[in-house]
Amino acid sequence: MDFTDVSLTALRVFRAVADRGTFTAAAASLGYTQSAVSRQIAAIERAAGAELLERRRDGVRLTAAGRLVLRRAKVVLDEIDATARELSGLPGPAGTVRLGWFPSAGAVLVPRTLAALRATDPALHVVGREGTTPALVRALRAGSVDLALLASAPPFRPPDTESPALVLTTLTERPLHLAVPAHHPLARGEFVDVADLRGQRWIASSSSGEDRLMGVWPGLDERPEIVHTARDWLTKLQLVAAGCGLTTVPAALAPAAPGGVRVLPVRGGPQEQRRLLLARLPQEPAEPVTRLAAALRATALGMETPAGP
């Protein structure tokens, strides 16, 4: 089989696997069975005469040949999709930007930016999706999103080691904060002393693909007591409001905290900084992408004032 005979279906399946990171997730997104996805990948690899995906325990990674095929496949599929839109009389995508964000960015920054754009740039159409930072990086590489809001913690390494390197812009860098039940003794002041965190109960979640716990204050000199685990930020904050425990939050999430929760800084130890990054591929961005990036920067700048009690 010659590579020129590869089907559009195989290209779409390959792009979905590269985007989602696993055969299972790609199958779910496409509405296919996992075996159907495996057959399409096997077919495109036979045509290429090389492995396009490195199978790993935690998912897949593109090989050098895979990166080449993905780069060309995106061009082909985008042209086919554009042709279909033109044939059906739909407007072109010139004013459309695909944005990805990690959950806490979607709680405040993204809604505020979209609300501002409705007034200042109503022709700009933003299509969004939420995901973990690793998933969003894969989506950028696969061409499924144009911009991505990523979370970064010390030592602030690049989000991946692929080449070419992503273009990263730091929108904010602020200390990690603590969400405390409003009736908790720690909520009485304007900050929490790190020494008072010993013996507390925590609401946490495991970061996808990582061992570290999210929600527990970093560097505690004791084994934390985890009373609840939850992936969703709103769930974690509602559990805090119910008096079930404490959890860490980005400072920018303070405006989204429900009643019954105080979001406070922590003092007495090293500052736990967190960065909000805007990421894109290194090629020259389309004009709508530049407009959305500018709007996100403006909103982030407006949120840089310290969160109140």
Side-chain angles (χ1 to χ4, degrees):
M1 178 181 177
D2 189 87
F3 197 80
T4 57
D5 296 324
V6 168
S7 69
L8 290 176
T9 298
L11 291 178
R12 292 189 190 280
V13 169
F14 176 65
R15 182 173 66 176
V17 173
D19 175 8
R20 302 292 177 173
T22 67
F23 282 37
T24 301
S29 70
L30 295 168
Y32 292 176
T33 64
Q34 187 168 336
S35 61
V37 169
S38 297
R39 286 194 299 272
Q40 292 293 338
I41 296 299
I44 198 171
E45 287 185 323
R46 282 197 304 271
E51 281 195 350
L52 304 182
L53 298 167
E54 178 188 350
R55 279 73 166 173
R56 298 154 61 103
R57 186 173 299 176
D58 59 347
V60 298
R61 170 171 252 168
L62 289 168
T63 63
R67 290 193 292 271
L68 170 64
V69 171
L70 180 63
R71 186 166 66 249
R72 299 297 187 183
K74 289 191 297 184
V75 174
V76 171
L77 294 172
D78 286 347
E79 287 297 321
I80 291 295
D81 291 344
T83 301
R85 281 191 295 268
E86 291 177 16
L87 288 173
S88 63
L90 294 176
T96 298
V97 184
R98 299 163 301 171
L99 174 66
W101 62 77
F102 67 98
S104 63
V108 180
L109 176 65
V110 173
R112 288 187 179 182
T113 301
L114 297 182
L117 284 171
R118 281 197 296 271
T120 62
D121 196 352
L124 184 60
H125 179 52
V126 180
V127 177
R129 58 182 281 188
E130 181 183 283
T132 63
T133 287
L136 293 174
V137 170
R138 290 194 299 267
L140 275 173
R141 295 289 185 191
S144 298
V145 296
D146 305 301
L147 286 172
L149 291 162
L150 308 179
S152 182
F156 300 123
R157 297 187 181 94
D160 71 358
T161 57
E162 300 291 335
S163 181
L166 298 174
V167 176
L168 302 173
T169 302
T170 299
L171 297 184
T172 64
E173 181 172 340
R174 300 178 66 181
L176 191 65
H177 278 39
L178 193 70
V180 182
H183 57 77
H184 195 284
L186 293 180
R188 293 171 184 163
E190 296 306 313
F191 63 90
V192 175
D193 192 289
V194 70
D196 293 330
L197 297 181
R198 298 190 83 254
Q200 299 295 336
R201 301 174 359 135
W202 298 93
I203 299 161
S205 61
S206 295
S207 179
S208 177
E210 300 180 19
D211 294 330
R212 67 186 179 92
L213 286 172
M214 298 178 66
V216 177
W217 190 259
L220 283 183
D221 59 352
E222 64 177 358
R223 183 180 180 87
E225 180 185 358
I226 310 297
V227 290
H228 296 289
T229 59
R231 289 181 178 272
D232 181 69
W233 278 106
L234 180 58
T235 300
K236 292 168 78 172
L237 290 174
Q238 291 289 356
L239 287 169
V240 172
C244 298
L246 316 180
T247 196
T248 59
V249 293
L253 203 61
V261 175
R262 291 200 69 197
V263 176
L264 298 169
V266 176
R267 296 185 185 175
Q271 284 290 296
E272 287 291 337
Q273 299 293 115
R274 296 295 184 268
R275 287 179 183 170
L276 171 62
L277 303 176
L278 186 61
R280 63 171 175 82
L281 291 174
Q283 63 260 31
E284 188 67 23
E287 192 267 343
V289 173
T290 301
R291 280 155 43 203
L292 176 57
L296 288 164
R297 284 194 296 269
T299 303
L301 183 62
M303 295 168 56
E304 274 291 69
T305 54

